[in-house]
Amino acid sequence: MRKSKYTGTWAVFDEDYKRGFDDVFRRYAENGIKNVMYGGIALIFDIHKEYYIDTCIDPYTEIEYYKEVGDVFGTKEILIESDFNEVNSIADKYGLSLQLVITPGVSEPIVAKHPSTAVVDIYGNKSPHWMCPSNPDVQQYFFGRIEDILRRYKIGEVELDVICLDFYDPQVVPDWVLPELYPLRQLAIRNCFCKHCIEKAKKAGLNLAKIESEIKVLNDEARSLKYEQFKKWDDTIRGVFDIIRFVLNHPMLIDWLRFRASVVEDFVFDIKNVIKKINSDILLSSDLVSPSFSWTLGQIYSEQPRLTDITKLMLYHKRIGSFEVKPLRRIKSAIPQIKDEELMRQYYRLKGFSGPLTFDEFEREGIDAENIYYEVKKAKVEVGPDYPIVAGLVGDPPATAKDVKEAVKMAYKGGADGYMLHQWYGNTPIENIEAFGEQLRELGEING
Ligand SMILES: [Zn+2]
């Protein structure tokens, strides 16, 4: 019999609590799911002050905030009041494990309370929610948080979510994000210029003055919201070779993109050391966006085998449109002459995706399932056969059971080494969880 592949789900604690953990965990087990990742689970664990002496960040900041305010995925009061060991022992009865998901990227309450931790753009603007991975206070806070938890609880895997670098979370796209033209925003990305990144870049030998001036010129263009300006880039960057032509004229942008990735990589490398020193059997995984554009966030697949034990590739093909349409709609409201189709075609060309050509359909239906196949395959080719890529697939609505099955099949075809079902947007129908299990069983990816 073949060994079952890695399986898991990103689930919503409050929903599972209300449905009853016994019922929920039994269903997960029946559908081959082994690992349960609850959004915000880090909030369930107590704070022990001795782990936070090297950081200015108040370790109670997030717990206090999420108890009262919450985030796009709801408040976390039930979660915060619950007992991890109690829930984990129910999971254990069904052969499941609760794992630790931690989000070292974005935190609105931490940045609000400690503005010095924010990512800074080239104009000196501070991100309202992104913490810079180069910042020693951010680093020490997360090293402390992880150690505080791992020293006291039996946990088999630490998963890093939003482990990247940018100014705003592309899977949320807050209202304060202003429109900018593609692909300049991505190629001449203007963060992070905090004092720690500047110092690190200088040490790495980057020609920062030249990089800054190029980025400024290109960003002025990206923010010049006129139809002719859109057409200039849309008509001249037609294919991949055009991007090569562009970067040959701006070679230092590659140094900058590479440097940004090193900021993230160095942080992950240090987290790995913290974890493995506590117990080398604890797995470290991290969540990456699709390889076609992960480099814009400082995530480079080929580097991952050196940094973590598992990479989870998140491509929620039915949901991606609901957040990625937002920047496109903002460009269109700034430049009303642009047709949806023009922006959609440009988006697909740049990302290498296929899908519908209107904003409404893109928002409602997302992109074609075949993109999962391509992205998983790209990831596998980059990391090599011996390092696992786990495909993170949509479970939440509007995905139907049929969509879930299609997603599993495409990930399998791409060579996925494991599968995660995403439920964090809420209200995942039970049929979708069952479809996930049925399809994995049919493909022989899980036993029983
Ligand atoms: Zn920085």
Side-chain angles (χ1 to χ4, degrees):
M1 196 185 264
R2 257 165 68 190
K3 197 171 163 267
S4 285
K5 292 276 175 77
Y6 180 100
T7 51
T9 183
W10 287 295
V12 180
F13 191 92
D14 286 21
E15 279 187 1
D16 286 0
Y17 170 88
K18 285 173 192 154
R19 285 173 173 175
F21 285 119
D22 266 291
D23 280 356
V24 168
F25 292 156
R26 186 182 306 114
R27 186 173 309 112
Y28 288 161
E30 283 166 4
N31 290 290
I33 291 169
K34 297 270 187 211
N35 297 286
V36 182
M37 273 64 188
Y38 284 120
I41 191 73
L43 301 168
I44 207 172
F45 302 103
D46 295 341
I47 306 273
H48 301 87
K49 284 191 172 163
E50 62 268 33
Y51 292 100
Y52 309 92
I53 45 177
D54 294 325
T55 177
C56 76
I57 297 175
D58 170 4
Y60 292 99
T61 310
E62 291 200 296
I63 292 180
E64 282 161 10
Y65 178 86
Y66 287 108
K67 215 172 188 172
E68 283 157 30
V69 187
D71 58 13
V72 286
F73 305 113
T75 60
K76 307 265 188 261
E77 204 182 337
I78 297 175
L79 185 152
I80 293 167
E81 301 295 335
S82 297
D83 182 89
F84 179 83
N85 287 336
E86 209 175 286
V87 184
N88 202 23
S89 70
I90 308 174
D92 191 50
K93 279 199 289 184
Y94 301 95
L96 307 180
S97 305
L98 299 194
Q99 309 292 8
L100 171 63
V101 190
I102 202 154
T103 307
V106 293
S107 174
E108 230 167 274
I110 290 179
V111 172
K113 198 162 183 177
H114 306 284
S116 65
T117 59
V119 163
V120 180
D121 77 7
I122 202 165
Y123 305 108
N125 302 309
K126 286 185 170 176
S127 168
H129 71 182
W130 209 301
M131 297 168 283
C132 182
S134 292
N135 186 302
D137 284 307
V138 172
Q139 295 170 352
Q140 291 301 327
Y141 170 71
F142 284 101
F143 300 159
R145 192 74 197 104
I146 289 169
E147 182 162 7
D148 189 359
I149 297 167
L150 294 184
R151 292 266 182 220
R152 288 185 161 74
Y153 293 87
K154 199 175 150 275
I155 283 166
E157 178 185 339
V158 177
E159 181 185 294
L160 306 175
D161 187 26
V162 202
I163 180 70
C164 37
L165 174 62
D166 206 343
F167 204 74
Y168 67 87
D169 185 346
Q171 294 192 318
V172 176
V173 194
D175 294 339
W176 45 261
V177 174
L178 298 172
E180 292 166 290
L181 298 176
Y182 291 65
L184 301 179
R185 196 258 169 207
Q186 291 76 14
L187 290 168
I189 198 151
R190 60 174 184 273
N191 58 67
C192 174
F193 286 91
C194 77
K195 67 175 185 188
H196 306 288
C197 285
I198 290 175
E199 194 188 320
K200 193 177 165 82
K202 282 183 182 159
K203 258 193 211 155
L206 264 68
N207 185 344
L208 217 47
K210 181 97 172 62
I211 289 171
E212 272 189 54
S213 76
E214 282 201 24
I215 290 178
K216 274 190 177 148
V217 170
L218 292 166
N219 272 267
D220 286 347
E221 288 219 30
R223 300 198 298 175
S224 155
L225 298 164
K226 296 193 183 71
Y227 188 61
E228 311 79 69
Q229 186 70 8
F230 164 74
K231 288 293 279 178
K232 173 183 166 186
W233 294 100
D234 192 39
D235 290 348
T236 61
I237 304 277
R238 304 298 301 167
V240 185
F241 285 8
D242 285 321
I243 295 282
I244 301 297
R245 186 170 55 78
F246 176 90
V247 296
L248 284 170
N249 290 324
H250 303 277
M252 281 182 194
L253 293 181
I254 296 296
D255 296 342
W256 179 242
L257 289 168
R258 193 70 208 72
F259 169 74
R260 290 176 76 255
S262 77
V263 165
V264 179
E265 289 158 9
D266 291 352
F267 186 30
V268 177
F269 189 79
D270 291 343
I271 290 176
K272 179 187 177 178
N273 285 336
V274 168
I275 294 170
K276 301 288 178 181
K277 228 196 277 174
I278 297 166
N279 178 350
S280 59
D281 292 337
I282 299 173
L283 294 175
L284 174 63
S285 60
S286 58
D287 301 343
L288 271 62
V289 296
S290 295
S292 90
F293 65 100
S294 63
W295 52 270
T296 65
L297 294 165
Q299 297 178 328
I300 294 179
Y301 275 76
S302 59
E303 293 294 329
Q304 300 308 311
R306 160 175 91 77
L307 305 172
T308 59
D309 301 298
I310 300 169
T311 287
K312 297 179 181 174
L313 188 172
M314 308 173 289
L315 180 48
Y316 316 134
H317 75 291
K318 299 296 285 186
R319 289 292 310 209
I320 191 169
S322 67
F323 41 87
E324 297 223 335
V325 77
K326 291 186 200 173
L328 302 178
R329 282 198 194 280
R330 285 174 210 173
I331 294 171
K332 174 152 172 152
S333 30
I335 313 174
Q337 302 100 299
I338 301 184
K339 295 185 190 76
D340 288 16
E341 194 178 321
E342 284 177 291
L343 275 167
M344 289 309 310
R345 283 193 195 282
Q346 183 193 44
Y347 171 89
Y348 291 135
R349 273 205 318 277
L350 291 169
K351 289 212 165 165
F353 287 169
S354 61
L357 290 173
T358 67
F359 288 171
D360 288 346
E361 282 171 290
F362 177 51
E363 182 170 25
R364 213 174 43 236
E365 294 296 325
I367 57 172
D368 300 339
E370 66 170 13
N371 297 291
I372 297 167
Y373 160 67
Y374 291 122
E375 295 304 318
V376 170
K377 189 164 179 175
K378 287 177 203 179
K380 275 308 295 176
V381 167
E382 279 215 27
V383 300
D386 302 327
Y387 176 86
I389 295 291
V390 169
L393 307 171
V394 69
D396 13 39
T400 61
K402 193 169 157 264
D403 294 322
V404 172
K405 287 191 168 184
E406 195 57 25
V408 171
K409 279 192 265 186
M410 287 296 158
Y412 173 78
K413 188 178 160 194
D417 301 293
Y419 304 85
M420 289 284 294
L421 186 71
H422 187 266
Q423 309 186 51
W424 281 3
Y425 293 106
N427 300 310
T428 297
I430 287 170
E431 306 89 82
N432 289 10
I433 296 166
E434 291 167 347
F436 183 71
E438 266 170 45
Q439 192 58 64
L440 286 175
R441 202 162 277 131
E442 198 182 305
L443 292 166
E445 294 290 82
I446 54 171
N447 296 321

